[in-house]
Amino acid sequence: MLNHQPKLAISADFLDAFSRIPRQIQGKVNVFVEKFKKDPTSSGINYESINGRDSRLKSVRIDLSYRAIVFKPDKGNTYILLWVDNHDDAYSWAQRRVCKINPESGALQIIDIEEASAIEAEISSRRIPQIPGRFDSIPDKYLLRLGIPDELLGAVRAVVTDEDIDKLVSKLPEEAADALLMLGAGYSIEETLTAQDKNREQTIDTDNIDAALEKDDSKRRFRVVENETELLEILAAPLEKWRVFLHPSQRRLVERDWKGPVRVLGGAGTGKTVVAMHRAKWLAENRFTNSGDRILFTTFTRNLAVDIEANLRKICSPETMRRIRVENIDAWVTSFLKSEGVTTKIVYDDQVAELWEKAYECKPESPSLTLAFYQDEWREVIQANKITNLKQYLTVTRTGRGTRLNRAERAAIWVVFEEYRSLLQQKGWKEAEDAMRDACSLLQNKPGETLPFKAVIVDEAQDMSDAVFSLIRAIVPPKNDGNDIFIVGDPHQRIYGRKVVLSRCGIDIRGRSHKLRINYRTTDETRKWATMVLDGITFDDLDGEQDDLKGYRSLLHGDQPVVKGFSSFEDEMNFISTYLQQLESSGTPLSNVCIVVRTNSLVKQYASALENLNVKVREIKRTQPDNLSEQGVRIATMHRVKGLQFDYVVLASINDGILPLKSALSNTADKAAYNSLINSERSLIHVAATRAKRCVTLTYYGQSSCLIPVTKAIPLQK
């Protein structure tokens, strides 16, 4: 028996429009939508025709001044909320648009006909007839299958330059933008169709709205609402669309069975953490559903774990959250060892400084090496290669180390490492790497006993070591049904100086490696600047090969990043204070602005200075998520803002001697260590700048950091 109950879908565009209307009108919209959801065919809903391009787009009354635009089907029972605005603007929006099903991809698309015509005319006006179009050789049916609407084929055919592509991608449906960026970056049509999972021909019914809404491409723009509670939850947080809408490339990673470990790379803002969170939710709700099943979601630092858990609670029910454990990897190791009766204290760099000083007293006269060299050698050679005795150290490969050592020299300096390890043992301390290996050994030596974890989700993988991934492999041993390990990361955002080769840790990702290319957070102007900071650095792909940002683009556009220099700290602070006042007076809450600095001591200094200028400040803590309902400009270190986003970011005190830190530079042992530190600091600037959704401003006083791209510097302000 057919179900004739009317269905309601809501578009991402509707949420955008809803978020911008006055709060009192939002309340009226909520009342209307609840009524509409119950029965969109009710006689109390007065559909008004619009003299536009699509007769199925209708206006409905919110109050005397505001209208919603609804897709009212000629046949079928699915209604779609598309837009809400004041009367004239709502009508104007609807008159320019059509709602139609792409005949090759099957996705439901909203197309602005006037905008499509304008962008085609603009690109065509620059074209030189003798130069062939970039995509002339690709048949229309393949472009349509990739999601390009028929109305925009002319604009695509007119493309010649990268500038043309940049102009066009923001006008396309996002699945089409992703595909066009791949084609523009040099991928073949076959490679692009495969990457987009569109190499199979389909039979499409262009009148079947219900079937169209089931397509992954449509789910990026539309959500079929099951009940009133779900609808109200969506309207309560209209700007947090990541809860509801996934890009097709993201959904393909989340909602499927994988036969083994998966690695997902992507530049800043491409939604890697969103994908990881939705993957955890999907597994908990669709695959590992027994009451005793658990999923471990782990990341590198405690503050990131805090932020991720807070966001997971926004998309998961309490029952689902009960079966997802979110914990940074060091904290998990500590609790696991404790449960096994191991009471060793795990210690970190600042805690072992005194032990290193004592061990350094045992150094030989020759070769003459700095304390920093010994510490780097310990971390990058001895710990990285699990070396426990001199024989192993004499034969290990030291690729990448800047100071060469023959075997006699290695034998001479081994005494320092031996003394350091002895001092750790006397204290009953272990470094995190050793604790990881202890936990790994305990798991491997108990094959009959298993943890409750069915899967491990790993975020910020670029900052984790071989020891971490060997442990993760032990937490979830390989199994026939797969879905065991899901890894996301970006080597360009590596800020803790670690490199990993997954295959050496027993994690085989062959055939299950994927790339996200579209930045949904920052403007393309910010993306370009932040990427320029990394020019000349070679990055790995977490498995022994190189990674790049080929095809990485943003769909948003805005102001260029601004770099301003001042003669004194006081002048810099006066500028920042005035800038914050201007943002606030233009309607931007200061909770959407973050001042980002290099160190904790600078956080205190800048917070105090801002408060003295009567600016309310809230420091983002390591152990708790940021609460946007609390007023005040945010302030945090560059490390702490990892994983966060704000409308506006001010990178302050980008001074010589602070970026890179003078104290850290003075302790580098050799040229290799120096280069490693510089690259890490550049990645830190990249990370901090890409937290900005709308605009990033950099300030300094005195001499600017040498790491700021010179072409963007602005002279000292009077």
Side-chain angles (χ1 to χ4, degrees), residues 128-192:
I128 300 173
Q130 294 82 0
I131 301 177
R134 288 277 285 275
F135 309 116
D136 280 354
S137 63
I138 303 174
D140 283 357
K141 69 174 184 177
Y142 293 136
L143 294 176
L144 289 167
R145 193 185 301 176
L146 289 170
I148 295 169
D150 183 71
E151 290 79 3
L152 282 160
L153 283 176
V156 172
R157 293 292 181 210
V159 165
V160 173
T161 66
D162 284 344
E163 181 186 359
D164 293 338
I165 295 175
D166 289 341
K167 287 281 186 183
L168 181 57
V169 289
S170 63
K171 314 299 182 186
L172 294 170
E174 286 183 347
E175 68 272 19
D178 197 7
L180 200 69
L181 289 173
M182 285 192 69
L183 293 170
Y187 292 92
S188 69
I189 183 61
E190 292 80 11
E191 289 173 321
T192 305

Side-chain angles (χ1 to χ4, degrees), residues 281-344:
K281 177 180 186 286
W282 188 83
L283 288 175
E285 294 179 350
N286 296 277
R287 291 297 179 266
F288 305 124
T289 57
N290 293 333
S291 60
D293 292 346
R294 296 290 183 272
I295 294 168
L296 176 62
F297 194 123
T298 191
T299 188
F300 188 64
T301 63
R302 182 186 305 176
N303 53 270
L304 282 170
V306 167
D307 296 331
I308 288 167
E309 181 168 15
N311 282 323
L312 266 173
R313 292 189 182 280
K314 296 177 180 178
I315 62 172
C316 296
S317 68
E319 167 56 25
T320 299
M321 279 305 299
R322 190 182 68 79
R323 293 184 291 107
I324 300 175
R325 179 171 174 178
V326 184
E327 197 165 22
N328 70 297
I329 192 67
D330 286 359
W332 186 88
V333 169
T334 299
S335 61
F336 172 74
L337 291 177
K338 186 176 181 181
S339 71
E340 294 290 314
V342 180
T343 57
T344 301

